[in-house]
Amino acid sequence: VGSEMCIRDRHVASYGALCGIEYDNIFAIAAVDGFMPRRDAFEVISTEEDRERIMNEERRLFCNSVSKASKRLVVSYFSKAPLELAERAKMQVVRVKAEGNGRVASVRPTAFLAEAGNAAPVTTGGQALLADLGMD
């Protein structure tokens, strides 16, 4: 196949749609607080019980979904995003700073990676990942 990538049976699905299905490779993209778990898990206007219930539901959903990878699991996240995008997408913003001509929001990877401890996937940079996939 050379430098081209041949992929069969590709699907883009929500975390909930992955439950009960196994795939060779699962790529969980944009795994940042606010997307997974959703922002409601952090809202100060919610009660502690509501936040805990939402966090537990999201944790089960995330863990059940990513555990369906039989060969490779890639969890992708980023640490900053344009402030307008972060607010519109309801990411959990940690800090805002000026960068260039605009403002940038600092965001965190999903809390579930820290909770996973040693069971979490190892951190691999994008170039190393592509080399590992044979796409260098």
Side-chain angles (χ1 to χ4, degrees), residues 21-96:
I21 300 173
E22 185 175 284
Y23 288 99
D24 288 345
N25 303 297
I26 292 183
F27 297 84
I29 59 172
V32 296
D33 283 344
F35 283 160
M36 179 50 73
R38 67 183 188 265
R39 190 175 192 169
D40 294 350
F42 304 98
E43 290 292 338
V44 293
I45 58 173
S46 302
T47 66
E48 182 63 32
E49 293 81 21
D50 285 340
R51 287 191 300 273
E52 187 174 328
R53 179 184 50 75
I54 292 166
M55 187 66 92
N56 287 335
E57 288 171 3
E58 296 285 287
R59 182 180 296 108
R60 276 189 299 278
L61 183 62
F62 183 79
C63 292
N64 285 336
S65 299
V66 299
S67 70
K68 302 304 180 189
S70 63
K71 291 184 181 175
R72 177 179 288 121
L73 169 63
V74 175
V75 179
S76 167
Y77 60 86
F78 44 88
S79 60
K80 63 182 180 177
L83 180 60
E84 184 179 303
L85 173 64
E87 289 176 339
R88 202 171 55 241
K90 298 185 178 184
M91 294 177 214
Q92 185 66 20
V93 175
V94 177
R95 186 175 81 217
V96 176

